[in-house]
Amino acid sequence: MIRRDLLSIAEMIDPGVRVLDIGCGDGALLHYLAETKQVDGRGIELSQAGVNGCVARGLSVIQGDADTDLRDYPAGSFDYAILSQTLQATRAPRDVLAHLARIGRRVIVSFPNFGHWRVRWALMAGGHMPNTPDLPYAWYDTPNIHLCTVQDFKGLAADLDLEIERLRALDSAGAPIPAWAARWPNLLAPQVVCLLRRR
């Protein structure tokens, strides 16, 4: 079974296209896209266990690091470049997003929203880093080193001259939040998925 947030990503992808999934984990999204949309999918995964899981599924995945290995990909070599729940764990998010926009005609990025009201409340009321379903780690052992809000991400996209074509606001389980709440994603969305393209 595929995670619900990955289904939101899959809905944004056209059939039969070339896809690069960076930080693809066990390959669940690539496998789903190959089966349901007949994409030509490739992946990059940091962990050897993730790469082994992908290869066991018959996926074309290499071990690599988004911070260092994306510069080796030619411009325009994929229709979509995907970074799911990984941007906040990169050392240089701006550079990673710039590389994604160079490599893919479109870019899909999902991330936990540090501007969500529960996060704000934990900081204000408790005076400590929040622990939520989307940010489940303690401050000292989190892989998330560059947390951002929806507004922060919009600013980064604008700085890189990227247009956000679609922003899908999701709950902690990865399902779309109600339409009325989606009007204020920075406050009410625990996580988001964004579809971007170069202007």
Side-chain angles (χ1 to χ4, degrees), residues 3-24:
R3 291 187 341 237
R4 292 181 80 179
D5 62 309
L6 297 179
L7 287 174
S8 288
I9 291 171
E11 290 170 5
M12 295 179 177
I13 296 174
D14 297 323
V17 296
R18 290 182 44 82
V19 172
L20 177 64
D21 187 359
I22 299 98
C24 60

Side-chain angles (χ1 to χ4, degrees), residues 43-114:
I44 302 174
E45 172 55 34
L46 187 59
S47 78
Q48 186 62 54
V51 173
N52 293 346
C54 291
V55 171
R57 289 182 171 201
L59 300 171
S60 178
V61 173
I62 61 169
Q63 187 169 20
D65 185 335
D67 280 305
T68 58
D69 297 330
L70 293 177
R71 67 178 59 103
D72 298 330
Y73 283 84
S77 53
F78 290 89
D79 298 302
Y80 292 87
I82 302 167
L83 192 70
S84 172
Q85 300 294 328
T86 305
L87 183 68
Q88 71 280 358
T90 62
R91 288 184 301 279
R94 186 182 201 284
D95 294 344
V96 169
L97 187 57
H99 280 300
L100 294 175
R102 180 184 58 76
I103 294 166
R105 287 188 313 105
R106 286 200 162 75
V107 176
I108 299 175
V109 178
S110 67
F111 58 92
N113 174 25
F114 203 68

